[in-house]
Amino acid sequence: MHDDRWTPPRIMLAVDLVILTLRDARLHVLLIERGVAPYQGTLALPGGFLRDEEEDIEAAARRELSEEAGLVDVHLETLGVYGRPGRDPRGRVVSVAHLAIAPSLPEPIAGTDAAGACWMPVQEVLSTEAELAFDHQHIVRDGVERARGKLEYTALATAFCDETFTISDLQQVYEAVWGVQLDPRNFYRKVQNAHGFITPAGPMRRAEKGRPARLFKAGPVRVLNPPMVRSAQATLPHSAKASRS
Amino acid sequence: MHDDRWTPPRIMLAVDLVILTLRDARLHVLLIERGVAPYQGTLALPGGFLRDEEEDIEAAARRELSEEAGLVDVHLETLGVYGRPGRDPRGRVVSVAHLAIAPSLPEPIAGTDAAGACWMPVQEVLSTEAELAFDHQHIVRDGVERARGKLEYTALATAFCDETFTISDLQQVYEAVWGVQLDPRNFYRKVQNAHGFITPAGPMRRAEKGRPARLFKAGPVRVLNPPMVRSAQATLPHSAKASRS
DNA sequence: AAAATAGTGTCTATAAGACACTATCAT
DNA sequence: ATGATAGTGTCTTATAGACACTATTTT
C-alpha cells in the first residue's frame, strides 16, 4: 500500500487556553497581546508549544496557566483539537485547546510573563470580526459553548466561585454565562434540590447591603441530578416581551 | 526565559476511530488485529498516522474510515486527544480519537484493507482487562460515554439507523447504548414530542411479524427539546427487582 | 421606617413513568 | 382465533416557572 521507508510527518504541538472568569457579573476571557510574529501585537489566547518531547499535554497546559496567568489549582479540561493546515504561518501546528475556569480575581493578572494580559468581556470578543490571532475567536466560541452546556448538567458553576459562596453568587454565574436572568426564588429551590451540588459551609454568613446569606461550598457531586435546565424562557420576571395583548 | 535557538519538538500525529454500530440489538465497536509491531497480533482501534504534513485531521479520520472500514457518509466527530508520553513505544505519538456512528451493516467489513477486522460487543471490550493495544480500551470507554450522553440531548441516535426507520428501531438504539429497557408506549410519546427529532417518511410501512410500523427519517433538529432524559429508573416493566416484599 | 437582599410557601402547567386498551398484520 | 407488534389514552407523581409573603440586615 505504501513505501516501506515511509515515516509519519512530524508536526508541532501547541496548547491554548480559554480561561473564563466573572468580573462584575460579566463573563470574561483572558487574552494576551502577542509580542512576536506571527500576529505580533494582536490579541490571542495564552498558550504555547510543548516544551519538549516528554512533556504531557495537560502538564503543558498547567504550565502555561501558571506562567501566563499566574493561576494554579483551577478547573482545567480539554476543549478540542484545532489543526487545520494553514492556521499558523510557521508551519503545521496542531493546538490542543483547553478550557479553564477561575474564580473572580481582583488583579488583571498576577502572573510572571505576559505584560499585555487583560480580561476581555466574552461578548465583545465574540461579536467583533477577525479580532483575535489564528483561529482563536473560534476556540473562544467553542469554550463558551462548552461552559454553557456543562453548567446545565454538572457542578462546573462552582469553579467560578471562591472556596465559599452564597446562592446568589452562584446565580450570578448562571446568569452571566447563559446571558439570561433567573428568578432567585426558583433558582434557590433548584440548587438545593440538586443533591450534592452545594453543601453548607459552617454557620457563617456575610453581609453588605441586605440580609446576610448562608455560605456554601462545592458539594461532592460532579454530575447534577436533576440538572439545572436552561429552558426556553429566560424568566425576566414581568418585563419586556414587548406589547402583545 | 529560554534560548533564542529553541524550536518546538516535533511529534507524530495519529487518528484513531471508535466506530460504533448496532448488531442484533447490541452495541459493537470495530476492532482490527494489528499486523505489525508494536502490539502485533493484538486487537486495536482502526487508525493511523497523518499521511503528510498537509492532511487535515478530519480528512485523515475519514480516510481511515474508508480504508479500514469501508464506511463513507457516516456520523463523525472528534472525541478527544490522547497523548500521554509513553503510550506508544515508537516515540511521542499524539492521537486524535474520533467517534463514528454507523447504521447496522450485514457484513463484518466491506473495506479494502484490514483482513482482521471484526465487530466486537462493547460490553466485552470494556469488561476485559488489558485486551486492546495502547490506551485503546480507555478511548473506547470515552467514546461509549460520549455516545450515551449525546443520546440524551441530541438526535445522535438516528445515526445508528438506516435512512428510514421505525420507532422501535430507534428504541433499540437507546436500549442498546444505554443498556436499559424502556417502555415502548412512553418512548413513543417522548420521541414524538421532541420537536424535529424525526419526521414521517412517506406513507410506507414495513412488516415482518406484527402490525406494520410507520417509517420515519431523521428530522432537521440536532438538539432535542425536550431531551430524552435517561433518568434513574431503567423501566423494566414489572420484572426483576429481585424479591422485595 | 425604608430599602435591600435572603429565604419559604403555594399555585399551575407540563412532563415522566406506569399501564389499560385498541389497531393491524401473519399464521 | 391467536400471537405479535404498533399506536393511543389515562392516571399519578414530580418538577418548572410565576409570584405572594416572611425574615434579617443596613441606613
Side-chain angles (χ1 to χ4, degrees), chain A residues 169-202:
Chain A
D169 291 338
L170 201 58
Q171 184 180 340
Q172 280 200 0
V173 173
Y174 278 89
E175 292 185 331
V177 178
W178 284 350
V180 300
Q181 271 193 277
L182 301 171
D183 184 294
R185 287 101 33 125
N186 292 334
F187 183 84
Y188 203 97
R189 177 163 40 84
K190 282 173 74 167
V191 167
Q192 297 275 38
N193 286 346
H195 314 299
F197 188 6
I198 57 175
T199 57

Side-chain angles (χ1 to χ4, degrees), chain A residues 206-213:
Chain A
R206 191 188 72 173
E208 193 186 332
K209 253 200 302 188
R211 168 179 173 177

Side-chain angles (χ1 to χ4, degrees), chain B residues 89-178:
Chain B
R90 288 168 293 189
R92 187 67 192 273
V93 176
V94 172
S95 174
V96 181
H98 289 74
L99 175 64
I101 309 289
S104 299
L105 302 168
E107 297 292 308
I109 264 325
T112 55
D113 277 17
C118 65
W119 291 109
M120 187 81 104
V122 160
Q123 197 182 6
E124 291 183 25
V125 174
L126 294 185
S127 61
T128 56
E129 301 285 335
E131 185 71 53
L132 264 44
F134 308 106
D135 48 5
H136 287 186
Q137 189 188 33
H138 190 232
I139 299 178
V140 171
R141 190 185 314 278
D142 291 349
V144 172
E145 262 317 304
R146 170 79 64 92
R148 285 184 175 146
K150 289 194 82 167
L151 243 49
E152 290 200 67
Y153 59 94
T154 76
L156 183 67
T158 58
F160 283 97
C161 299
D162 294 319
E163 180 92 27
T164 63
F165 50 86
T166 68
I167 292 195
S168 11
D169 291 338
L170 201 58
Q171 183 179 340
Q172 280 200 359
V173 174
Y174 278 89
E175 292 185 331
V177 178
W178 283 350

Side-chain angles (χ1 to χ4, degrees), chain A residues 20-44:
Chain A
L20 299 179
T21 198
L22 245 60
R23 291 174 68 78
D24 41 71
R26 295 179 65 193
L27 187 63
H28 286 65
V29 61
L30 185 70
L31 297 178
I32 286 180
E33 189 180 326
R34 284 184 61 82
V36 299
Y39 292 101
Q40 185 168 9
T42 306
L43 289 173

Side-chain angles (χ1 to χ4, degrees), chain B residues 162-167 169 192 197-206 213-219:
Chain B
D162 294 319
E163 180 92 27
T164 63
F165 50 86
T166 68
I167 292 195
D169 291 338
Q192 297 276 37
F197 187 5
I198 59 175
T199 58
M204 316 165 62
R205 289 159 183 249
R206 190 188 73 172
R214 298 184 203 154
L215 285 178
F216 294 85
K217 60 184 181 193

Side-chain angles (χ1 to χ4, degrees), chain B residues 185-186 189-190 211-212 231 233 235:
Chain B
R185 286 101 33 124
N186 293 335
R189 178 162 40 83
K190 282 173 74 166
R211 169 178 173 179
S231 58
Q233 61 277 39
T235 311

